[in-house]
Amino acid sequence: MVKKLKNTLQYNAISQRLIPRYKYTSLKLIDKEKLSQTLYLMRFKVLENIGKPFPPQFIMLWVPGYEAIPMSVALFDEDNNALSIVVKPVGPTTNYLVSLEPGIFMGMYGYLGKPCIPHGKKYLLIGGGSGIAPIMHYAQYISNHNESGIIDILYGCWKYEEIGKIPLILQNYCSTIKTVCFSDHCDYQGTLIDALIKTDLKLYDIIIIAGPPGLLENALKIVKMDEDLLARVFLVVESMVKCGVGFCGECIIKGTNKLLCVDGPCFPAKELLYVI
Ligand SMILES: Cc1cc2nc3c(=O)[nH]c(=O)nc-3n(C[C@H](O)[C@H](O)[C@H](O)COP(=O)(O)OP(=O)(O)OC[C@H]3O[C@@H](n4cnc5c(N)ncnc54)[C@H](O)[C@@H]3O)c2cc1C
Ligand code: FES
């Protein structure tokens, strides 16, 4: 893995970091599925061999006529060199993206960000909204590489309609999946934080949380009370990303000298204690 990573990285003397090469690769959209009221799964064939992504890496996806936007890898099919992303349409580029039909060609560069795969036997993976994308990748990767391990997932949204088919996909890669929303159709009613409070966190070696800033902030408030627990928690952070390769500084994590696009997007919770 280290050799493969070095091949796709180069040293930037200014930022004193290993940075990814900035080179576009073509993609062909091969499948699109509406997963829920707010999320789409889009599957692409990668038309060049650029290696495989490790969680929670992301790509810069160039959408024709629009711009390049950061998207987490949600699933990777090594046999077919195909990657899937989960898209929540929120603005012009993502709305156009989900309107595209299979057959269209796009561009990407990546895989970007630092692989972060904390070692353990019992994992709790928590995803809120489109934060479920990197959680899917973690579940797929860990279930393929850690056969004796336990993977429990909490997936939370505001409304039941947003849950959709996500649990059906995730059940292939985990021991249990519990849904969280404000409807009594979900396993837990309320927010992911309400569900977190009801979960016995001592059971887990590793807890990985991905989702909107409010979720990460409130989760940090809970886990920071217990030093042992804090050491086992990892947060997948989202911020503004422009270049994705460590050049522009746009994605700096405030209060640190860390760049999300090369040092993240996953950080040990203890490193973010005083910054989120
Ligand atoms: C590392 C990373 C991974 C991401 N993974 C996913 C994913 O798997 N699925 C998904 O649906 N979205 C993901 N996003 C967010 C996605 O990139 C933005 O929603 C998208 O760029 C919005 O573009 P737009 O033109 O449709 O909307 P805009 O009109 O540009 O913006 C709409 C909203 O999205 C936010 N946003 C816009 N651009 C960015 C940006 N470059 N980075 C972060 N937030 C932005 C804005 O603050 C605004 O709130 C990820 C972002 C990052 C940084
Ligand atoms: S997005 Fe440009 S340095 Fe990270």
Side-chain angles (χ1 to χ4, degrees):
M1 174 177 147
V2 172
K3 197 173 166 207
K4 260 191 182 165
L5 278 172
K6 279 191 176 153
N7 287 341
T8 58
L9 299 170
Q10 61 189 7
Y11 190 71
N12 178 326
I14 297 170
S15 69
Q16 301 195 326
R17 281 183 168 88
L18 282 167
I19 60 163
R21 288 211 172 89
Y22 177 88
K23 178 178 173 295
Y24 272 97
T25 300
S26 297
L27 297 176
K28 184 178 182 186
L29 178 61
I30 47 177
D31 203 12
K32 178 180 77 169
E33 187 184 359
K34 190 163 183 181
L35 292 180
S36 73
Q37 196 179 62
T38 45
L39 298 178
Y40 293 77
L41 184 76
M42 303 186 81
R43 188 161 186 261
F44 297 91
K45 172 100 184 152
V46 184
L47 298 177
E48 210 182 300
N49 188 358
I50 53 166
K52 63 175 184 175
F54 296 91
Q57 286 187 297
F58 64 100
I59 61 169
M60 289 301 288
L61 178 67
W62 172 72
V63 181
Y66 286 76
E67 53 178 352
I69 54 170
M71 281 286 144
S72 304
V73 174
L75 294 171
F76 188 71
D77 168 359
E78 223 173 319
D79 295 339
N80 295 299
N81 201 26
L83 70 87
S84 300
I85 58 172
V86 170
V87 186
K88 180 174 185 179
V90 291
T93 311
T94 43
N95 271 298
Y96 177 69
L97 175 63
V98 300
S99 76
L100 296 171
E101 294 301 334
I104 194 149
F105 291 87
M106 292 188 216
M108 63 153 271
Y109 58 92
Y111 300 104
L112 307 173
K114 202 154 89 179
C116 168
I117 305 154
H119 184 70
K121 277 210 152 56
K122 293 183 181 169
Y123 289 83
L124 177 63
L125 306 179
I126 302 175
S130 63
I132 201 61
I135 292 300
M136 260 187 199
H137 196 195
Y138 268 115
Q140 184 193 39
Y141 184 89
I142 296 165
S143 66
N144 285 344
H145 291 84
N146 184 357
E147 274 150 30
S148 61
I150 287 178
I151 305 169
D152 292 335
I153 299 181
L154 283 177
Y155 172 49
C157 292
W158 295 114
K159 293 188 286 173
Y160 181 65
E161 293 71 22
E162 294 173 66
I163 300 281
K165 299 178 197 162
I166 299 272
L168 290 177
I169 298 177
L170 284 172
Q171 72 186 8
N172 298 318
Y173 308 113
C174 67
S175 321
T176 68
I177 161 127
K178 295 261 163 55
T179 55
V180 185
C181 72
F182 281 91
S183 144
D184 53 14
H185 291 97
C186 280
D187 299 305
Y188 290 101
Q189 283 78 53
T191 65
L192 272 170
I193 294 299
D194 299 323
L196 198 63
I197 291 167
K198 288 180 192 146
T199 304
D200 187 359
L201 301 177
K202 285 197 294 293
L203 293 177
Y204 298 99
D205 302 321
I206 303 292
I207 300 168
I208 301 173
I209 311 175
L215 168 66
L216 303 188
E217 206 179 301
N218 288 320
L220 202 47
K221 278 185 197 153
I222 294 171
V223 302
K224 76 177 180 190
M225 318 294 268
D226 177 339
E227 222 171 279
D228 174 54
L229 174 61
L230 182 67
R232 290 180 279 123
V233 176
F234 294 78
L235 303 177
V236 182
V237 178
E238 259 197 38
S239 76
M240 209 50 111
V241 162
K242 263 199 180 138
C243 69
V245 290
F247 287 146
C248 72
E250 184 77 20
C251 66
I252 190 135
I253 309 284
K254 286 192 188 85
T256 73
N257 62 353
K258 295 193 186 304
L259 297 173
L260 178 141
C261 71
V262 284
D263 302 317
C266 180
F267 296 93
K270 58 179 188 280
E271 286 185 15
L272 301 177
L273 253 193
Y274 304 105
V275 296
I276 60 172

